[in-house]
Amino acid sequence: MINKLLAGLILIVLIVVGIAMTKPDDFNVSRTATFNANPAAVFAQVNDLRNWEAWSPWAKMDPTAKPTYEGPKAGKGAAMVWHSEKSEVGTGKMTITESVPNERIVFLLEFEKPMKGTNTSTFTFKREAKQTEVTWSMSGKMELTQKMMSIFMDCEKMVGGMFEDGFANLKKVVEK
């Protein structure tokens, strides 16, 4: 009986690993929103990491997680380190690697917990008449563990939903 259970468990694991190996190595999640504000106003909120506490969906998930900051106040080289006991927020570091005023900000995301990983996140800003169109994207490589998790969780929907929440919060800040 135990041998049959063990064989069944091994078969299930092999099936999950097999399915995971067919998943793409790269992922990309992207959302776009339009703001009733000029690009400079929206850019300023994203480019200064200290502003993120007011609108970041992850900051709202764990208000007790107080980030620390490194480097310049804003722009290239500015970094935020966070630590949370909540696995949805985890522990990691976000560093601005590129900052083109009112056009683009690129971040390096280094996650430590709940799972190690490195991703890139980008904000682009585009003037549309009296509004600003902002695109927030995240991309990176998926290791086998992440591919296995993606069989059971829709990462596109989960991260994309967080971006949508962040945009809703950011609109409240820049459109007031």
Side-chain angles (χ1 to χ4, degrees):
M1 177 75 165
I2 291 177
N3 286 341
K4 286 182 182 182
L5 287 173
L6 187 57
L9 183 61
I10 290 171
L11 181 62
I12 291 170
V13 170
L14 289 174
I15 289 171
V16 169
V17 170
I19 292 170
M21 291 178 74
T22 66
K23 298 270 187 185
D25 292 335
D26 299 311
F27 77 91
N28 187 17
V29 177
S30 184
R31 294 293 188 273
T32 300
T34 303
F35 293 79
N36 293 318
N38 65 48
V42 187
F43 180 88
Q45 285 298 316
V46 178
N47 198 48
D48 183 341
L49 299 176
R50 289 166 177 82
N51 292 335
W52 283 57
E53 284 189 69
W55 59 267
S56 167
W58 289 278
K60 302 233 179 270
M61 286 176 79
D62 186 2
T64 65
K66 295 298 177 202
T68 57
Y69 301 94
E70 300 174 353
K73 184 175 188 269
K76 186 175 180 176
M80 175 176 63
V81 178
W82 73 91
H83 173 78
S84 172
E85 297 301 323
K86 293 187 175 187
S87 62
E88 302 87 11
V89 179
T91 299
K93 181 177 183 179
M94 178 168 68
T95 306
I96 298 176
T97 59
E98 182 181 350
S99 179
V100 180
N102 308 327
E103 290 182 23
R104 181 178 57 257
I105 304 170
V106 180
F107 299 88
L108 174 65
L109 299 168
E110 300 168 284
F111 300 100
E112 291 297 319
K113 291 180 183 176
M115 190 178 311
K116 285 190 178 276
T118 303
N119 300 325
T120 301
S121 187
T122 304
F123 281 79
T124 57
F125 307 85
K126 182 177 169 187
R127 180 177 283 284
E128 294 288 337
K130 293 182 179 183
Q131 298 178 316
T132 301
E133 182 181 272
V134 181
T135 299
W136 186 358
S137 62
M138 181 186 290
S139 60
K141 297 280 185 199
M142 290 205 331
E143 303 295 328
L144 182 60
T145 309
Q146 290 141 334
K147 290 180 184 184
M148 289 170 55
M149 286 177 54
S150 75
I151 294 170
F152 305 103
M153 296 186 320
D154 186 347
C155 295
E156 158 70 31
K157 190 174 182 179
M158 187 173 67
V159 173
M162 296 300 285
F163 286 0
E164 292 165 10
D165 290 348
F167 275 151
N169 296 334
L170 185 55
K171 276 181 178 257
K172 291 175 188 171
V173 171
V174 299
E175 292 181 359
K176 65 178 177 179

